Amino acid sequence: MKPTSPFAGKAQWHAQQRQLPPREKIRILIELQRREVENNGIRESLGRPAVAMKPWDTQA
Amino acid sequence: MGQFRDVLLLLSRLKAEGVIHDYAIGGAVAVSLWTEPVATQDLDVIVTIAGDAHPLDPLRPLLDWFDQHGQAFEGEHILIAGVPVQFLVAWSPLVREAVATAAETVYDPADPQSPTIRLIRPTYLVAMWQADQGADTPRRRERAAHLREAGLVDETLLTELLSRTKT
């Protein structure tokens, strides 16, 4: 169904994310950990690093 | 590289061998699986211990088991299949109830051999955070908001759970 507004579209996307099976959510969680490492590299270059995150050495 | 399903299989094995009485996943991973994934450092596993554990060292039977099976320790975590797992003994009647009433679901519905995963239910997660002043942080309030936004918190049950912790 076509969303009626940008916010409705976002709500629909979030609702779809919530419906994903556990294994897919764990896969995304691990991907987010990896991206967090990249993001922290950027923060570090700006002089404000966050607590370092270590991605899990595992597959979903 | 490990596989997350191996963590779940090990947790089931600990229960089957009587090392723990029961377990349930809490923290950010539980919130991720109830709502949407977020990056987190570790996997919080709350356990109830079988038999008489020493009150000052309640995780000892579990730690001894990991020691005997050559499992790696990393600070306060046990490294299982590449995942840093923090084991916490259920620290109050509310948390013990949260473990006992956890939801058990299939990890990978596409795999007929998939292990199951036990998750603390959303209302209990929120109750645990609200009942413990030390756990009432901005990040946990945000997680509680996510659970509420997804319509997963039973406010009547939450009120009842919190009223019990005040008696």
Side-chain angles (χ1 to χ4, degrees), chain A residues 13-15 17-30 32-34 36 51-60, chain B residues 1-5 29 32-43 74 81-84 105-109 117 149-150:
Chain A
W13 184 84
H14 287 296
Q17 289 291 102
R18 285 198 290 269
Q19 296 306 314
L20 294 172
R23 185 182 177 195
E24 180 60 11
K25 289 184 177 179
I26 292 293
R27 189 195 65 72
I28 296 171
L29 186 154
I30 295 167
L32 289 172
Q33 289 175 331
R34 295 193 179 120
E36 190 57 30
V51 176
M53 180 163 285
K54 190 176 168 189
W56 295 349
D57 187 22
T58 198
Q59 292 176 327
Chain B
M1 183 179 279
Q3 288 200 321
F4 190 81
R5 58 175 282 138
V29 173
S32 290
L33 294 178
W34 283 114
T35 61
E36 294 173 52
V38 293
T40 184
Q41 296 276 11
D42 59 7
L43 175 69
E74 198 177 75
V83 179
T105 186
V106 174
Y107 174 61
D108 181 7
I117 184 166
E149 191 182 358

Side-chain angles (χ1 to χ4, degrees), chain B residues 93-163:
Chain B
L94 170 65
V95 181
R96 282 192 285 278
E97 186 175 319
V99 173
T101 59
E104 189 156 352
T105 186
V106 174
Y107 174 61
D108 181 7
D111 174 9
Q113 306 296 320
S114 171
T116 56
I117 184 166
R118 284 179 60 78
L119 299 175
I120 292 185
R121 292 179 189 273
T123 307
Y124 280 88
L125 287 169
V126 176
M128 285 160 55
W129 299 331
Q130 289 191 7
D132 184 339
Q133 283 190 334
D136 187 22
T137 63
R139 182 174 291 184
R140 291 202 179 91
R141 269 179 247 146
E142 186 185 339
R143 289 175 185 162
H146 283 303
L147 293 168
R148 283 196 167 96
E149 191 182 358
L152 295 168
V153 178
D154 179 339
E155 299 294 343
T156 307
L157 174 60
L158 179 61
T159 303
E160 193 225 311
L161 293 174
L162 291 174
S163 72

Side-chain angles (χ1 to χ4, degrees), chain B residues 12-61:
Chain B
S12 295
R13 182 179 168 195
L14 291 171
K15 189 174 169 179
E17 292 189 12
V19 183
I20 58 173
H21 177 257
D22 213 345
Y23 85 91
I25 289 170
V29 173
V31 176
S32 290
L33 294 178
W34 283 114
T35 61
E36 294 173 52
V38 293
T40 184
Q41 296 276 11
D42 59 7
L43 175 69
D44 291 342
V45 177
I46 302 167
V47 297
T48 47
I49 297 289
D52 296 325
H54 193 287
L56 293 179
D57 195 11
L59 277 175
R60 181 53 46 199

Side-chain angles (χ1 to χ4, degrees), chain A residues 5-7 12 16 18 20-21 24 27 31 35 39-41 44-46 48 54 57-58 60:
Chain A
S5 77
F7 296 108
Q12 196 177 61
Q16 285 168 353
R18 285 198 290 269
L20 294 172
E24 180 60 11
R27 189 195 65 72
E31 178 60 28
R35 288 194 199 174
N39 291 341
N40 207 34
E44 203 161 16
S45 70
L46 296 170
R48 44 183 179 80
K54 190 176 168 189
D57 187 22
T58 198

